[in-house]
Amino acid sequence: MNISVIPTIQEARVEELRRKTVIVIDVLRATSTMLAALASGCRAVIPVETVEQAKELQLPGHLLGGERGCRRIPGFDLGNSPLEYTPSVVGGSVLVMTTTNGTRAIRKAEQAGRILAGSLLNARACAGKALALGREIVILCSGTRDIFSLEDGLGAGAIVDELLSAYTGSGRQGDHLQVNDFGLAMLHAFRAANGNLEGALLACENGRRLVSLGFREDVAYCSRLNAIEAAPEIADGRLQLFPTLTSL
Amino acid sequence: MNISVIPTIQEARVEELRRKTVIVIDVLRATSTMLAALASGCRAVIPVETVEQAKELQLPGHLLGGERGCRRIPGFDLGNSPLEYTPSVVGGSVLVMTTTNGTRAIRKAEQAGRILAGSLLNARACAGKALALGREIVILCSGTRDIFSLEDGLGAGAIVDELLSAYTGSGRQGDHLQVNDFGLAMLHAFRAANGNLEGALLACENGRRLVSLGFREDVAYCSRLNAIEAAPEIADGRLQLFPTLTSL
């Protein structure tokens, strides 16, 4: 089975995503925040690219969330901080969300066979679900305005690490996992940083920017490896927690 | 001082290279082989893009070296294996060389202020010379046909590691080194792989291809960290060992 990690949205070729499982990663902070929302009981997240699209899709009972320049959009209910998405705020609701990079990455992945939302928070759950789906796996790092972002690379490396562990643990014979060179680099990087993921995230460009804007606690939250046991999937434009593997 | 690592030739913008020190890396095998040649007493390496250019530049006393598809070019004196470039073969000669990716990367860097040839073999020497030059530093990974290659990333990570060590060791105050996110990822990757660089190079795509073609010993040679104490520089189209730092 082939596993490819792609460093930025720009470098993803739509034809390379078809019929595969694509795991979209935006550790700081879009996919981490979507995960936090779903873990808090939000029923579905509808990712959209523009503020206008978000407003058009806001039905009664829907919340608007997202950011531009890391900050809450005027008129929106919520920003892009995972700490805002508590059960009392988002439980039972549908969330319409737009962010600068993460929602763009999800749109780019629309041609994929299956689309999962991944981050450090759910690396193990993502790996397990992707393996169970049995397709080739592409891990798409959102990056920041077409530049590679370290935190997404570490998230990708964490998922590759979990894929290798799960695959070895399953005792499968014959076929083996073939990881592309960029994925191997991210695997090495994750293993080196794993002792202090929070430190690694604080040292990278987006981490430093978030700290300067007062979001240091968000960086700490997003660095919590495998804190959430769920691999949400996008179907019909909605990100949801579908039945877990064991019940499939 | 800013340090940027660029993953492939395609992603390098010429305007981002101007007035900087660019370290070009093609660990498997172009820059490693050029280093081996110079360390064996070759007087200069003239990197060119095409086989035709190489033949046009072949004057008496010049040797032709290089590869297409990892193999020696018909009619050439030497291939792209560093082990061929022994003192008895290349001592005192001028080498005209063309390879698939490494020489392209050098051409792309032509607008830079200073151009060094780097690899795992001379990471420390490259870092020392680049710091002494005092310009912003760009480390350009050649990659393979516009795809990132792990071995070049590890070479870049090794140089970033040496830059940070040398900078810290110099006791400089005030200014600090700012490494871009891709460079930080390569630094982490290098540190994780450093215990077994040969194994990491054997596992990556170019390493596997070279082994399958009978060049396993080349991969072992190219993984020898800091085996060569020289940072050759390109000036007027010729790569040469200029006076070392201590004599500048």
Side-chain angles (χ1 to χ4, degrees), chain A residues 3 123-124 127-128 131 157-172 177 179 187 190-191 194 225-226:
Chain A
I3 302 169
R124 185 172 299 152
L131 275 182
I159 294 172
V160 173
D161 201 36
E162 295 286 355
L163 284 167
L164 296 174
S165 297
Y167 200 76
T168 308
S170 71
R172 300 187 203 201
L177 297 187
V179 183
L187 174 65
F190 166 72
R191 287 177 174 171
N194 191 15
L225 186 66
N226 293 327

Side-chain angles (χ1 to χ4, degrees), chain A:
Chain A
M1 180 187 278
N2 289 319
I3 302 169
S4 301
V5 179
I6 302 178
T8 63
I9 302 170
Q10 189 184 29
E11 287 171 68
R13 305 272 164 272
V14 169
E15 59 272 22
E16 290 173 9
L17 307 181
R18 285 191 217 286
R19 290 181 292 278
K20 297 179 182 169
T21 295
V22 176
I23 304 173
V24 176
I25 299 189
D26 187 356
V27 166
L28 292 176
R29 297 170 287 175
T31 55
S32 297
T33 299
M34 291 174 188
L35 272 163
L38 293 167
S40 289
C42 170
R43 287 186 291 131
V45 178
I46 303 174
V48 298
E49 285 199 76
T50 69
V51 173
E52 292 65 36
Q53 287 169 328
K55 290 181 174 169
E56 284 169 14
L57 285 172
Q58 190 189 25
L59 302 173
H62 284 23
L63 294 172
L64 293 187
E67 57 76 31
R68 287 295 180 273
C70 300
R71 296 186 184 281
R72 183 190 298 196
I73 298 162
F76 274 42
D77 302 295
L78 294 148
N80 191 26
S81 167
L83 302 175
E84 298 176 71
Y85 290 74
T86 58
S88 63
V89 175
V90 299
S93 69
V94 170
L95 174 68
V96 182
M97 190 157 188
T98 180
T99 69
T100 315
N101 302 291
T103 48
R104 259 185 74 208
I106 290 170
R107 286 278 88 90
K108 182 95 177 229
E110 267 178 349
Q111 303 299 318
R114 307 289 286 260
I115 310 169
L116 309 180
S119 81
L120 288 165
L121 295 169
N122 72 339
R124 185 172 299 152
C126 266
K129 185 159 181 178
L131 275 182
L133 291 173
R135 298 165 182 261
E136 290 195 16
I137 298 167
V138 175
I139 304 175
L140 175 57
C141 299
S142 296
T144 306
R145 293 178 300 277
D146 296 325
I147 304 288
F148 169 77
S149 290
L150 178 62
E151 70 276 12
D152 295 336
L154 294 176
I159 294 172
V160 173
D161 201 36
E162 295 286 355
L163 284 167
L164 296 174
S165 297
Y167 200 76
T168 308
S170 71
R172 300 187 203 201
Q173 300 289 326
D175 189 23
H176 67 293
L177 297 187
Q178 187 68 61
V179 183
N180 74 340
D181 271 22
F182 192 75
L184 291 174
M186 295 305 107
L187 174 65
H188 285 305
F190 166 72
R191 287 177 174 171
N194 191 15
N196 183 9
L197 287 171
E198 184 178 338
L201 263 57
L202 288 168
C204 71
E205 191 170 337
N206 282 323
R208 298 196 307 270
R209 182 181 303 128
L210 286 168
V211 169
S212 75
L213 293 170
F215 294 113
R216 187 192 171 101
E217 290 308 311
D218 282 13
V219 179
Y221 178 91
C222 295
S223 69
R224 293 168 60 211
L225 186 66
N226 293 327
I228 296 178
E229 288 286 343
E233 183 171 356
I234 292 176
D236 298 328
R238 298 163 74 93
L239 182 72
Q240 289 178 268
L241 297 180
F242 289 94
T244 57
L245 285 178
T246 48
S247 60
L248 276 179

Side-chain angles (χ1 to χ4, degrees), chain B residues 147-158:
Chain B
I147 304 287
F148 169 77
S149 290
L150 177 62
E151 69 277 13
D152 294 336
L154 294 176

